[in-house]
């Protein structure tokens, strides 16, 4: 563990989709953060990060949500998020909302600066490496757009997964290409979204991997749903579920997965 903060206070931002659809990711995140030496709290006042409103042009609604997030997470040393998409919204795009706001811009910039995507936080800040974690399987990895392009999350999940006993990683062709989810994109442009995810699903099946891993639940649900509807047996998990040894239950979007 780094010497700078022996026991950092982490405010865990759950995300809407994890809370509603896959709380196992939240529990796994807290487990690994505590193993890494963090004191973890989940502020009850947190709500949506505001990304859907922001992407739809509702800046006023986004600012109202963002202010709630800023207030809720100001007391913590770090804000950690199990999603590159939501982490990028807080870390990067909040800057656009509060530019020139004398009261809120300094507060926003302080919270944005300490916000991290969880896999990057574990690898880069806490210098965490899993010990005694096992997952028997051949996995392939999808790099989500926001995590990769906005936050530079690429090497970190692979470094963490390289320490998992029994896990083999197979390169995915087009690993850095969009899965077609894109938040509201898949609602506004369903035909384009479906064509993109169909191509992605075919590339996943071509790897012959039995497991699909990633760092964003939205992307994973989109790809897993397409694979499942096509009769594929590929299992999808958030990377943190594997690191927490909590990938033994129902996979994402499998029939037994009831959130």
């Amino acid at each position: 563990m780094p010497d700078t903060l022996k026991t950092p206070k982490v405010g865990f931002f759950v995300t809407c989709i994890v809370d509603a659809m896959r709380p196992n990711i939240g529990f796994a995140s807290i487990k690994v953060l505590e193993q890494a030496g963090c004191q973890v709290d989940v502020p009850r006042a947190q709500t949506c990060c505001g990304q859907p409103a922001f992407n739809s042009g509702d800046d006023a609604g986004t600012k109202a949500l963002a202010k709630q997030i800023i207030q809720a997470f100001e007391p913590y040393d770090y804000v950690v998020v199990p999603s590159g998409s939501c982490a990028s919204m807080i870390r990067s795009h909040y800057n656009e909302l509060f530019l020139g706001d004398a009261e809120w811009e300094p507060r926003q910039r302080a919270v944005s600066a300490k916000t991290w995507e969880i896999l990057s936080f574990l690898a880069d800040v806490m210098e965490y490496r899993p010990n005694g974690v096992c997952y028997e399987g051949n996995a392939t990895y999808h790099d989500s757009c926001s995590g990769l392009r906005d936050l530079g999350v690429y090497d970190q999940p692979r470094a963490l997964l390289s320490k998992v006993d029994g896990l083999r990683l197979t390169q995915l062709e087009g690993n850095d290409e969009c899965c077609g989810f894109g938040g509201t994109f898949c609602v506004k442009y369903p035909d384009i979204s479906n064509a993109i995810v169909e191509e992605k699903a075919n590339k996943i099946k071509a790897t012959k991997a039995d497991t699909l891993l990633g760092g964003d639940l939205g992307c994973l649900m989109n790809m897993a749903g397409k694979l499942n509807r096509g009769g594929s047996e590929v299992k999808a998990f958030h990377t943190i579920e594997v690191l927490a040894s909590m990938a033994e239950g129902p996979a994402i979007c499998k029939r037994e997965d009831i959130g």
Side-chain angles (χ1 to χ4, degrees):
M1 185 193 306
D3 294 330
T4 51
L5 282 171
K6 291 296 185 181
T7 307
K9 291 178 60 179
V10 166
F12 181 63
F13 182 75
V14 180
T15 81
C16 300
I17 195 168
V18 167
D19 183 44
M21 304 300 295
R22 186 77 173 180
N24 191 60
I25 293 171
F27 298 132
S29 298
I30 294 170
K31 178 180 177 180
V32 177
L33 287 169
E34 290 180 342
Q35 289 175 345
C38 300
Q39 177 186 334
V40 185
D41 188 25
V42 184
R44 293 180 63 86
Q46 66 178 285
T47 57
C48 176
C49 69
Q51 188 180 78
F54 182 73
N55 290 343
S56 300
D58 180 9
D59 286 354
T62 307
K63 286 184 75 171
L65 291 168
K67 287 178 180 179
Q68 288 183 280
I69 298 302
I70 292 165
Q71 288 177 313
F73 286 92
E74 282 179 314
Y76 300 97
D77 299 317
Y78 297 101
V79 183
V80 177
V81 191
S83 161
S85 179
C86 297
S88 173
M89 181 64 197
I90 299 171
R91 187 175 179 92
S92 302
H93 299 296
Y94 276 13
N95 294 329
E96 302 172 42
L97 294 169
F98 295 100
L99 187 63
D101 188 318
E103 177 186 358
W104 282 94
E105 184 178 6
R107 298 172 67 179
Q108 168 264 310
R109 289 193 178 276
V111 170
S112 294
K114 63 184 179 183
T115 297
W116 290 80
E117 184 273 340
I118 191 168
L119 302 175
S120 177
F121 178 74
L122 289 168
D124 297 336
V125 178
M126 298 307 296
E127 299 177 4
Y128 172 79
R129 293 294 183 270
N131 183 28
V133 177
C134 180
Y135 182 87
E136 294 291 342
N138 176 19
T140 195
Y141 198 93
H142 166 74
D143 296 283
S144 299
C145 295
S146 293
L148 177 65
R149 293 171 177 82
D150 284 353
L151 304 176
V153 180
Y154 180 83
D155 291 332
Q156 301 91 330
R158 291 165 173 81
L160 294 165
L161 290 169
S162 71
K163 303 299 182 181
V164 175
D165 295 336
L167 178 66
R168 303 179 304 284
L169 269 181
T170 299
Q171 179 68 21
L172 172 64
E173 180 188 353
N175 60 285
D176 58 351
E177 296 172 356
C178 180
C179 72
F181 177 62
T184 56
F185 176 85
C186 64
V187 178
K188 295 176 180 177
Y189 307 103
D191 292 340
I192 299 174
S193 174
N194 185 60
I196 293 172
V197 73
E198 183 172 5
E199 181 177 346
K200 175 69 73 169
N202 288 335
K203 289 180 178 179
I204 292 167
K205 288 184 284 189
T207 67
K208 305 300 182 182
D210 54 61
T211 303
L212 170 65
L213 298 177
D216 272 88
L217 179 57
C219 302
L220 288 165
M221 287 179 61
N222 189 41
M223 294 180 289
K226 187 65 174 179
L227 289 164
N228 290 344
R229 290 191 297 274
S232 172
E233 295 298 319
V234 174
K235 299 172 291 185
F237 292 102
H238 193 293
T239 300
I240 201 67
E241 295 179 284
V242 171
L243 298 177
S245 298
M246 292 174 64
E248 298 167 347
I252 294 167
C253 289
K254 289 297 185 184
R255 188 174 299 275
E256 301 88 348
D257 178 20
I258 58 173

